Amino acid sequence: MSGKTVCVHGLGYIGLSTATVLAHSDNQVYGYDTDESLLRELEHRTVSLDEPGMERLVVEAMDEGTLTPVRECRAADYHLLCVPTPVVDRRADLSAVTEAAETATSNLRPGDVVVLESTVPPGTTVKRVLPLLEADGPDEFGLVYAPETVLPGRILTEVRENDRLVGGVDAAATKAGVDLYESFVEGRLHTTDATTAEFAKLAQNTYRDVNIALANEFAKLTREHDVDPRRVIELGNTNPRVDIHTPGPGPGGHCVPVDPWFLCEGTSRETLIEYARQLNDEMVSYVCELVGERFEELADRRISVLGAAYKGGVADARNSPGIRLADELRDRYGAKVRLHDPHVSSPNMDWTIENGSVPEFVAGSDAIVVTTDHDEYRDLHPGPVREGMRTLVAVDTKDVLDASSWREVGFEVARI
Ligand code: SAJ
């Protein structure tokens, strides 16, 4: 029996899943959030996060009384801060971290521990959070940075199974962090200091972003030699020390396209990281050009964009390449664009997302552009899609269509 009390600040996809797993690991957990509608939803035993297994586990923990949503922060052995850190003008907006740290501080008893999980620029824990605790907290407290590394779509598995970095501001804090995470983490716990843990977390997503930018550069270069970039990458990766990622319309979501900016924050040097970030951001324009090459004029052409989610199998449309593509085709080229996604309902005010049958959705279109690797698109048969289309053009940015069978029925298929 681990038997700790934990107050989790922020019940988004990280906070709620961590709170739930902690509650199922013999801890007494309070889930604190300032969003009244979210708390009410939980009290009615519903979870709007589209994450496999989440709702059942949340409801079980609440029914057993180990997880309690609360409107006021509670005193607890540990305060886990899982609040958002959006990027604004290429800088981290730390207002939610500051507010959560202040709330935790005013509820802290001697010996309690604050753990920051949110992704933050290096130095945030020591330079921003620690001074708040020193000024207004008790004489004795622990402060730890312990980033999450879970993959949306696999959160409940990864929150338990992944290795974890635990970086305290001193040795006692690190030990207190280990005591908490070993109550539910099956992976290894790697101890370090807070700033190293912050940097390492950002290094993971930055590695992915730069690697994807490299794959996108390879894809553009292979065009000049008329070879298939995916085959090149597959063969490149036969060397056990090579792991080239997959080209696409540029990474979306709230991590990979964001974290590299946090890493560059404060440096005046030009970095490879920023350059890669820009290359990836420009991929949407590159895809527009791939579509444009197929027509004399794009104005008034009807284009069906398939995919608003930032990646396959999720309902999250934050920094969605599909939506950015739809915007650019409409605003820059005057095309008549419609957007489809089987998982996302309404990502923003600008677009109505349709989620019915694809053959019906594309009727009358001049081109389809696949921007998300959903299984539903992978399983599409070209015959029925072809029926209602006006011009048979398919631009497959995620390589999910079986190009030869689409070409067989008359489609011109373009890939990145
Ligand atoms: N993508 C490519 N090519 C690839 C791989 C991905 O274009 O070869 C695109 C995807 O389509 C998507 C974007 O990149 O648009 C990001 O997807 P992802 O699956 O790489 O990552 P996320 O954002 O869902 O989750 C990442 C993960 N980080 C790493 O794998 C290093 C996850 O472990 C982190 O916990 C998460 O960010 C986070 O919260 O930071």
Side-chain angles (χ1 to χ4, degrees):
M1 175 88 182
S2 135
K4 296 170 178 42
T5 51
V6 186
C7 183
V8 176
H9 298 235
L11 299 176
Y13 79 109
I14 298 300
L16 187 59
S17 47
T18 309
T20 306
V21 171
L22 276 164
H24 281 277
S25 307
D26 297 326
N27 299 293
Q28 183 62 46
V29 183
Y30 301 107
Y32 168 60
D33 204 294
T34 51
D35 181 345
E36 176 59 29
S37 61
L38 174 66
L39 293 169
R40 235 180 282 135
E41 241 180 53
L42 286 172
E43 284 159 357
H44 287 102
R45 304 292 196 263
T46 43
V47 174
S48 53
L49 287 174
D50 183 22
E51 192 62 34
M54 181 83 96
E55 189 166 77
R56 184 178 57 82
L57 281 184
V58 170
V59 171
E60 272 174 22
M62 286 181 63
D63 287 346
E64 279 167 25
T66 51
L67 172 63
T68 315
V70 291
R71 285 171 179 73
E72 302 282 334
C73 168
R74 297 287 177 92
D77 303 330
Y78 290 84
H79 288 265
L80 219 60
L81 314 186
C82 305
V83 292
T85 47
V87 67
V88 180
D89 295 332
R90 301 182 173 182
R91 294 181 70 84
D93 173 357
L94 295 175
S95 50
V97 169
T98 306
E99 197 179 313
E102 283 169 352
T103 306
T105 303
S106 53
N107 285 277
L108 224 55
R109 306 163 305 191
D112 290 344
V113 181
V114 175
V115 183
L116 178 60
E117 286 209 4
S118 313
T119 306
V120 291
T124 301
T125 305
V126 171
K127 292 187 194 146
R128 294 280 295 257
V129 181
L130 184 58
L132 297 173
L133 284 156
E134 284 172 340
D136 296 322
D139 287 344
E140 245 182 78
F141 59 83
L143 176 60
V144 183
Y145 183 70
E148 56 78 20
T149 59
V150 293
L151 196 71
R154 287 178 44 81
I155 292 181
L156 286 168
T157 308
E158 292 207 355
V159 83
R160 277 188 189 282
E161 291 182 0
N162 288 3
D163 283 12
R164 190 105 203 184
L165 313 182
V166 182
V169 295
D170 54 37
T174 304
K175 159 121 192 12
V178 167
D179 285 348
L180 178 69
Y181 286 103
E182 69 185 9
S183 73
F184 68 95
V185 173
E186 291 157 20
R188 285 181 62 193
L189 300 177
H190 304 272
T191 56
T192 181
D193 62 87
T195 308
T196 305
E198 290 166 337
F199 200 115
K201 160 69 192 182
L202 297 170
Q204 293 172 345
N205 283 338
T206 302
Y207 159 78
R208 214 157 161 74
D209 199 37
V210 174
N211 196 328
I212 294 166
L214 182 66
N216 282 330
E217 281 292 47
F218 286 161
K220 289 180 195 166
L221 285 170
T222 52
R223 258 191 123 192
E224 293 171 20
H225 300 275
D226 201 21
V227 291
D228 178 356
R230 283 161 193 85
R231 184 69 179 141
V232 166
I233 290 170
E234 185 184 311
L235 294 175
N237 286 346
T238 56
N239 182 318
R241 284 167 296 282
V242 175
D243 177 24
I244 307 160
H245 286 15
T246 312
H254 46 288
C255 306
V256 172
V258 169
D259 294 5
W261 294 124
F262 290 11
L263 206 50
C264 297
E265 206 172 301
T267 179
S268 54
R269 287 193 310 110
E270 278 184 21
T271 61
L272 164 73
I273 297 165
E274 280 173 285
Y275 187 56
R277 185 81 296 285
Q278 277 156 17
L279 285 178
N280 277 337
D281 262 351
E282 285 159 17
M283 285 309 289
V284 162
S285 301
Y286 182 76
V287 175
C288 281
E289 283 152 25
L290 280 183
V291 182
E293 283 166 16
R294 265 82 209 160
F295 302 97
E296 291 214 334
E297 261 288 343
L298 270 183
D300 295 329
R301 287 288 184 177
R302 294 183 192 170
I303 315 288
S304 293
V305 175
L306 301 185
Y310 81 92
K311 67 175 185 177
V314 303
D316 192 335
R318 281 176 287 179
N319 294 317
S320 150
I323 294 176
R324 286 184 49 227
L325 180 83
D327 286 340
E328 189 163 333
L329 284 169
R330 180 191 60 191
D331 301 341
R332 188 169 151 200
Y333 296 96
K336 291 199 160 74
V337 185
R338 298 174 68 218
L339 203 47
H340 179 276
D341 195 292
H343 296 259
V344 178
S345 42
S346 233
N348 61 25
M349 307 293 279
D350 229 17
W351 292 99
T352 305
I353 308 291
E354 314 246 354
N355 46 29
S357 119
V358 172
E360 281 171 29
F361 172 76
V362 302
S365 299
D366 293 301
I368 61 168
V369 188
V370 183
T371 43
T372 307
D373 45 354
H374 285 312
D375 286 345
E376 290 85 344
Y377 299 150
R378 220 179 278 282
D379 296 341
L380 275 178
H381 291 290
V385 176
R386 177 185 190 278
E387 288 306 309
M389 284 188 63
R390 206 160 65 167
T391 320
L392 299 183
V393 169
V395 176
D396 180 9
T397 73
K398 297 299 286 184
D399 195 30
V400 295
L401 308 178
D402 172 22
S404 59
S405 65
W406 284 67
R407 287 188 180 119
E408 247 166 53
V409 303
F411 273 94
E412 182 183 351
V413 180
R415 299 190 300 177
I416 286 181

